Amino acid sequence: MEDRPPFHVITGGPGTGKSTLIAALAAAGHRVCEEVARPIIRAQVAASGNAVPWGDHAAFAALMFAGEKAAYDAALATDQPVFFDRGFPDIAGFLALSGLPTPAEVDAACRTLRYRSPVFITPPWADIFTQDSERKQDFAEAERTHAAMIAVYSHYGYTLVELPRASIAARMAFLLERVEV
């Protein structure tokens, strides 16, 4: 058994089924930490703020970092497995895609506040991809994000396992067969 909390990450590009899988895991009784980006986007839009993925990328990343840190710290209160919809390296990947450097505090979190390997990655999947008021990225951006997540999680020493393009039930079974729960 690894010497780190029983935290598991599901990452990937936008519109690839991460949040749907997290919701299914929660419905099945597993502990989850939902993606921090959507509540940030909703709050920023409501306040006419610019810390959104299509606005001030650095400010958005800073808010995501604060949210991820709070979620990680809260999850430390349990010794049960927790499934995260994205993790600290996702922030570094977002910044890289934005052409921005990774702040020292984000890099430090990626190196020290660890999740279990493997990290599960949802591949770009045109059949399920949709845009909405909070997900303005197109499918090409989903593909670039997928590549960035592979690069950044590999950089921080994680092994990645691609989830199959399959039903939510099949994806959940695939994931649960590969983790200690």
Side-chain angles (χ1 to χ4, degrees), residues 5-7 31-33 71-82 84:
F7 296 168
R31 294 179 189 270
V32 301
C33 284
Y72 191 96
D73 289 347
L76 288 172
T78 182
D79 59 355
Q80 300 298 310
V82 179
F84 286 79

Side-chain angles (χ1 to χ4, degrees), residues 77-100:
T78 182
D79 59 355
Q80 300 298 310
V82 179
F83 295 92
F84 286 79
D85 188 340
R86 300 194 177 277
F88 293 112
D90 285 80
I91 301 165
F94 170 75
L95 289 164
L97 281 170
S98 302
L100 297 171

Side-chain angles (χ1 to χ4, degrees), residues 7 9-10 33-37 40 61-75 84-91 106 109 113 115 153:
F7 296 168
V9 172
I10 301 167
C33 284
E34 295 178 357
E35 181 181 28
V36 300
I40 292 167
L63 291 175
M64 284 196 305
F65 178 73
E68 288 293 347
K69 180 75 169 74
Y72 191 96
D73 289 347
F84 286 79
D85 188 340
R86 300 194 177 277
F88 293 112
D90 285 80
I91 301 165
V106 174
L113 302 176
Y115 308 93
Y153 274 94

Side-chain angles (χ1 to χ4, degrees), residues 4 88-89 104-114 155-156 158:
R4 60 186 66 169
F88 293 112
E105 67 181 349
V106 174
D107 181 66
C110 291
R111 294 180 189 284
T112 62
L113 302 176
R114 304 289 291 177
H155 171 76
Y156 286 111
Y158 290 99

Side-chain angles (χ1 to χ4, degrees), residues 38-146:
R38 282 195 178 254
I40 292 167
I41 293 167
R42 283 192 285 277
Q44 286 293 302
V45 168
S48 298
N50 196 34
V52 292
W54 55 89
D56 185 338
H57 293 191
F60 180 63
L63 291 175
M64 284 196 305
F65 178 73
E68 288 293 347
K69 180 75 169 74
Y72 191 96
D73 289 347
L76 288 172
T78 182
D79 59 355
Q80 300 298 310
V82 179
F83 295 92
F84 286 79
D85 188 340
R86 300 194 177 277
F88 293 112
D90 285 80
I91 301 165
F94 170 75
L95 289 164
L97 281 170
S98 302
L100 297 171
T102 301
E105 67 181 349
V106 174
D107 181 66
C110 291
R111 294 180 189 284
T112 62
L113 302 176
R114 304 289 291 177
Y115 308 93
R116 297 254 174 116
S117 258
V119 165
F120 296 91
I121 188 164
T122 54
W125 187 4
D127 290 348
I128 67 167
F129 181 83
T130 60
Q131 293 174 298
D132 59 34
S133 63
E134 296 165 1
R135 182 187 302 126
K136 296 185 179 194
Q137 303 96 326
D138 61 16
F139 189 71
E141 176 91 7
E143 292 177 314
R144 287 191 299 277
T145 302
H146 177 78

